[in-house]
Amino acid sequence: MIASLRGTVVDKGLDHVVIECGGVGYLCQATPRTLADLPRGGEAHVLTTMVVREDAQTLYAFPDAATREVFGVVQSVSGVGARLAMGIMSVLSPGELADAVAAGDVKALQKAPGVGKRLAERMAVDLRGKLDAFAGTAPAMGAGTGSGAPDVAADAVGAQVVEALTGLGFSRDAAEAVVGEVAAAEPGADTGTLLRLSLARIGGGAR
């Protein structure tokens, strides 16, 4: 079992990153929130989980132990596999998810792409008591990534964020509208900041 990786980020896409360790490149699936803090060419340290299926072996990367643990716990809900769990973790932090479950806030759980009312209700019941350790740890809304100034043009940054959101299951129209609003409110925002703020806003109901 591969529990963590430390190495150089040699490539990354909208939903994955390749980290080279000792001459071997490991392709890991990751959320946009995680990818935003992994600069290409920089050193990365991520915690990982390998999910083995009959037709695939997939490595998932996480920024911290809490996110990795919640990723596993969420999959205990019937109907939630690794891919859907990643979509949920892309929109809701461990703290936000724990708070929503504790409050029975079905609407908050429906912010995640692929989570309808029925599944949200099941999650609220099945996860009750399993995420208490993470309650009250939700980050402040609009917190930045601290990754510095953007290294590409603003329109390219916006296009990248739109692609990331559509890859998570949100409609292109909703993604473009939200990214446009956030970019106007936060001129000069880098990719990570624009993505986090857009995720927070689109999760509030835009689809």
Side-chain angles (χ1 to χ4, degrees):
M1 177 65 69
I2 301 174
S4 66
L5 295 173
R6 185 185 295 276
T8 303
V9 176
V10 295
D11 188 29
K12 69 176 184 176
L14 297 175
D15 61 356
H16 68 275
V17 61
V18 178
I19 301 176
E20 185 175 282
C21 306
V24 178
Y26 294 86
L27 187 151
C28 306
Q29 298 296 309
T31 68
R33 293 188 184 207
T34 299
L35 293 169
D37 292 327
L38 299 177
R40 187 180 278 102
E43 182 176 285
H45 177 236
V46 295
L47 302 184
T48 58
T49 291
M50 178 171 282
V51 176
V52 179
R53 298 286 185 255
E54 187 175 321
D55 58 347
Q57 297 183 28
T58 308
L59 199 60
Y60 294 88
F62 307 94
D64 51 55
T67 307
R68 181 173 64 178
E69 182 177 347
V70 172
F71 171 74
V73 173
V74 168
Q75 291 179 71
S76 67
V77 178
S78 176
V80 178
R83 180 165 181 166
L84 181 54
M86 287 297 279
I88 294 169
M89 300 307 297
S90 296
V91 175
L92 299 170
S93 70
E96 291 168 337
L97 181 57
D99 290 346
V101 170
D105 191 345
V106 174
K107 289 187 177 180
L109 296 174
Q110 286 182 264
K111 292 178 180 179
V115 178
K117 182 179 180 181
R118 183 171 299 178
L119 179 55
E121 291 173 341
R122 188 185 311 150
M123 288 173 61
V125 173
D126 291 355
L127 295 177
R128 186 170 299 152
K130 297 181 179 180
L131 301 174
D132 291 351
F134 308 103
T137 64
M141 187 68 72
T145 64
S147 56
D151 56 1
V152 292
D155 57 344
V157 171
Q160 183 178 6
V161 174
V162 168
E163 289 302 320
L165 292 175
T166 55
L168 286 171
F170 294 105
S171 72
R172 179 166 293 276
D173 287 345
E176 290 179 346
V178 168
V179 172
E181 292 173 2
V182 174
E186 299 288 339
D190 60 28
T191 305
T193 299
L194 187 59
L195 176 58
R196 291 195 181 198
L197 294 177
S198 296
L199 275 168
R201 183 168 300 191
I202 200 170
R207 288 294 175 94

